[in-house]
Amino acid sequence: MKKYTPTIGLEVHAELRTKTKMFCDSPNDPDETRPNQNVCPVCLAHPGTLPVINREAVHHVLRVGTALGSTLADFTEFDRKSYFYPDIPKGYQITQYEYPLVTGGSLNGVSITRVHLEEDTARSIHSGGVSLVDFNRAGVPLMELVTEPVMHDAETAGNFARELQLLLRTLGASEANLEKGEMRIEANISISENDTFGTKVEVKNLNSFRSVERALAYEIERQAELLEKGEKVLQETRGWDESKQSTFRQRTKEGSADYRYFPEPDLPKLVISDVPEFSAAVLRASMPELPWERRERYSALGLSKDAITSIGSDTDRAVFFDAVLSTLDGNKKISALAANYFASDVAGWLAKDSTRTLSISPNAFVSLMHMVNENKVSSRGAKEVLTIMLENGGDPETIAKESGFEQVSDTEALRTAVQAVIVRSPEVADEYRKGKEAALQYLVGQSMKETKGAGNPTVIQELLVEELGKA
Ligand code: ADP
Ligand code: MG
């Protein structure tokens, strides 16, 4: 097969977190389960009603643009995108066409084309031969981010989308849950054997980052096979079938002229510099620590790469871990220890069941780390105590005491155990005395067993050397 270069560009929609909808004061509540509760004449498209721009939504998009290092528009306007569908009762969607709020910038090294603001559509529900429309979502503020066609493999595209979700959550702009449709990803993909772009296919129905990656990998192969057979790739929209792990044709692409875009006459033009809270300086000052800045800080603290990825990829985890770090007051040794326990044990425990949440207190976690550092609990014991804490909460000292995971460093108690082991294994003891170092490790192991894992191995080894030297 010839060598083809894939080219990928993403279009991502995110429902913004605002009190009210984009152009009216109906509540924007993604958790409302009863249909048609959050509606009013404006978002139901009654004739004669007028839209009003939601300042909070504009603010969110400008903050996203600030974080991405983009150019923020000074002049911006909204446009009508005309089409017919039951979920868009006005017969057009209000969006931005010529003058998006945000242009340029980059994320994870991927260039951003633009970020603009629009309104979400209603939700159509097709069941039992009837179609129903729920207008709770109609008019919810929706941000659309478009990347340049600059990615060349599926994993890069998946990671871009993950980083964008993390950024939106960090900024408080969107919950950005893919399963809830709060973040929707469309992946454009073409392949080519020279530096002219091939025909692109747009893939929809991508409900997880995994499906973004798998759908792109699938398309790269499908398109290559077509070209190998001397056939053409059709410019079309395809859906991702999760159960079949393949894409299928949905429709051939309509041209943008069909939408008859024109400036929305019912809304004022916006001049961003007229609004003091939208000034670049005010927006910059409102930035929280951004995901990549947080990772830098962890890296400067000496945390391992795996730990940085595990902790820095989720806002809840990072908030928890930052509370841990603040009690550790710059102690690099215990910080690194805590990061490793978090990345392996806590993250491992969370990964086992998606309904699990982190309810352990940062202080209790820190206490356990101090116990590990001071050898009050063995590393095996610490893992057991941590699991109990993750499941039921509680104080690590009490748990270690009650469950017998306390590490015994008490010399006299351990000496008795060590002596018993030497008495039971006279041949091994002699081998050690004749210079066989490996024999000592065996005796350490036996003594650990004798103390049911509670003995401090360092102290045990010291005592063994001492006791074996006596005879
Ligand atoms: P359209 O007019 O069909 O919507 P756009 O130029 O607006 O196309 O691009 C939409 C998305 O498709 C963008 O994310 C862009 O990066 C991506 N894209 C454009 N051309 C290609 C291509 N040849 N291969 C892959 N992606 C592409
Ligand atoms: Mg487009």
Side-chain angles (χ1 to χ4, degrees):
M1 205 190 268
K2 289 198 203 95
K3 192 88 187 100
Y4 297 100
T5 305
T7 297
I8 299 165
L10 297 182
E11 295 167 286
V12 184
H13 284 90
E15 287 178 353
L16 298 175
R17 194 156 83 177
T18 55
K19 273 203 230 30
T20 56
K21 291 188 181 179
M22 188 61 231
F23 298 115
C24 63
D25 58 11
S26 294
N28 169 16
D29 177 8
D31 296 325
E32 177 57 73
T33 50
R34 300 163 302 163
N36 295 312
Q37 295 299 304
N38 299 327
V39 294
C40 75
V42 176
C43 54
L44 289 172
H46 288 196
T49 55
L50 286 173
V52 177
I53 299 170
N54 183 331
R55 172 189 291 255
E56 212 186 349
V58 176
H59 192 221
H60 278 315
V61 174
L62 292 173
R63 291 180 83 236
V64 170
T66 303
L68 298 172
S70 312
T71 303
L72 308 184
D74 190 32
F75 174 87
T76 188
E77 66 179 8
F78 288 88
D79 299 277
R80 287 187 182 182
K81 177 181 180 179
S82 302
Y83 64 97
F84 173 80
Y85 202 71
D87 69 11
I88 193 90
K90 292 196 295 290
Y92 58 85
Q93 177 192 34
I94 304 180
T95 179
Q96 296 194 290
Y97 189 58
E98 282 286 329
Y99 297 96
L101 271 168
V102 166
T103 47
S106 71
L107 182 70
N108 264 11
V110 174
S111 307
I112 309 296
T113 312
R114 57 188 277 156
V115 188
H116 70 250
L117 195 49
E118 57 190 36
E119 55 179 337
D120 209 344
T121 60
R123 197 189 289 274
S124 311
I125 301 147
H126 310 284
S127 79
V130 277
S131 288
L132 301 165
V133 186
D134 174 7
F135 285 89
N136 285 339
R137 201 182 68 179
V140 161
L142 200 60
M143 179 199 101
E144 179 175 351
L145 177 148
V146 183
T147 79
E148 290 288 296
V150 290
M151 291 173 273
H152 300 289
D153 62 88
E155 201 192 344
T156 301
N159 287 336
F160 173 87
R162 288 183 183 94
E163 183 79 347
L164 179 60
Q165 180 187 60
L166 186 59
L167 176 66
L168 292 172
R169 289 177 173 175
T170 304
L171 291 173
S174 175
E175 291 290 324
N177 280 315
L178 271 70
E179 322 80 63
K180 289 196 192 164
E182 291 163 335
M183 177 168 168
R184 293 166 232 155
I185 303 168
E186 285 145 32
N188 299 272
I189 163 92
S190 63
I191 61 167
S192 161
E193 44 175 327
N194 50 42
D195 44 11
T196 317
F197 280 159
T199 304
K200 80 174 154 86
V201 164
E202 181 175 336
V203 188
K204 291 181 187 267
N205 304 350
L206 301 167
N207 296 322
S208 68
F209 297 120
R210 261 296 166 79
S211 41
V212 170
E213 291 167 347
R214 293 202 173 133
L216 285 169
Y218 178 89
E219 270 302 306
I220 291 169
E221 276 214 9
R222 188 187 68 87
Q223 295 180 16
E225 278 168 20
L226 282 175
L227 297 187
E228 283 298 295
K229 283 189 283 189
E231 291 176 30
K232 281 204 170 98
V233 173
L234 222 58
Q235 179 165 345
E236 61 188 359
T237 301
R238 297 178 71 86
W240 171 244
D241 186 329
E242 188 67 45
S243 59
K244 291 193 186 130
Q245 296 282 300
S246 60
T247 64
F248 60 94
R249 171 171 310 159
Q250 287 187 319
R251 56 186 159 83
T252 46
K253 183 98 180 163
E254 66 284 336
S256 70
D258 298 349
Y259 293 128
R260 278 184 57 239
Y261 285 102
F262 68 92
E264 167 60 63
D266 288 342
L267 287 173
K269 314 291 176 196
L270 281 186
V271 177
I272 298 297
S273 51
D274 284 351
V275 187
E277 65 176 296
F278 292 168
S279 84
V282 174
L283 289 167
R284 259 200 307 276
S286 83
M287 286 292 106
E289 183 180 44
L290 299 170
W292 48 94
E293 294 168 343
R294 172 177 274 140
R295 290 193 295 262
E296 273 293 310
R297 176 164 57 83
Y298 288 167
S299 171
L301 245 180
L303 306 192
S304 72
K305 229 174 163 193
D306 284 349
I308 295 172
T309 307
S310 168
I311 301 164
S313 63
D314 178 278
T315 35
D316 289 342
R317 290 181 185 194
V319 165
F320 174 87
F321 197 74
D322 282 342
V324 167
L325 289 181
S326 73
T327 27
L328 289 175
D329 208 24
N331 181 324
K332 284 197 176 186
K333 184 177 171 213
I334 306 185
S335 300
L337 187 71
N340 291 340
Y341 268 91
F342 190 94
S344 57
D345 296 84
V346 179
W349 182 83
L350 286 168
K352 277 206 186 103
D353 177 350
S354 63
T355 63
R356 286 181 172 176
T357 53
L358 199 56
S359 56
I360 164 178
S361 93
N363 280 332
F365 183 70
V366 168
S367 303
L368 179 63
M369 293 304 110
H370 281 297
M371 287 170 68
V372 174
N373 189 48
E374 291 156 19
N375 284 320
K376 287 185 183 156
V377 62
S378 65
S379 60
R380 208 195 69 195
K383 286 174 190 293
E384 307 271 4
V385 172
L386 186 50
T387 307
I388 297 173
M389 288 163 70
L390 287 164
E391 257 148 37
N392 311 317
D395 163 64
E397 295 222 21
T398 317
I399 297 170
K401 217 170 272 165
E402 283 171 358
S403 316
F405 292 124
E406 268 184 312
Q407 178 150 271
V408 181
S409 297
D410 168 21
T411 320
E412 285 327 300
L414 291 180
R415 194 182 296 276
T416 316
V418 161
Q419 285 166 342
V421 167
I422 294 175
V423 169
R424 268 207 313 273
S425 328
E427 304 85 7
V428 188
D430 272 340
E431 280 174 28
Y432 170 74
R433 291 192 190 98
K434 285 182 194 139
K436 194 173 162 198
E437 277 299 316
L440 184 61
Q441 285 320 306
Y442 172 80
L443 294 172
V444 170
Q446 290 301 306
S447 307
M448 286 296 289
K449 252 189 211 157
E450 183 75 16
T451 63
K452 299 193 173 62
N456 179 336
T458 317
V459 178
I460 285 180
Q461 177 152 343
E462 283 164 13
L463 286 170
L464 274 169
V465 172
E466 203 182 308
E467 289 293 319
L468 289 163
K470 277 183 188 165

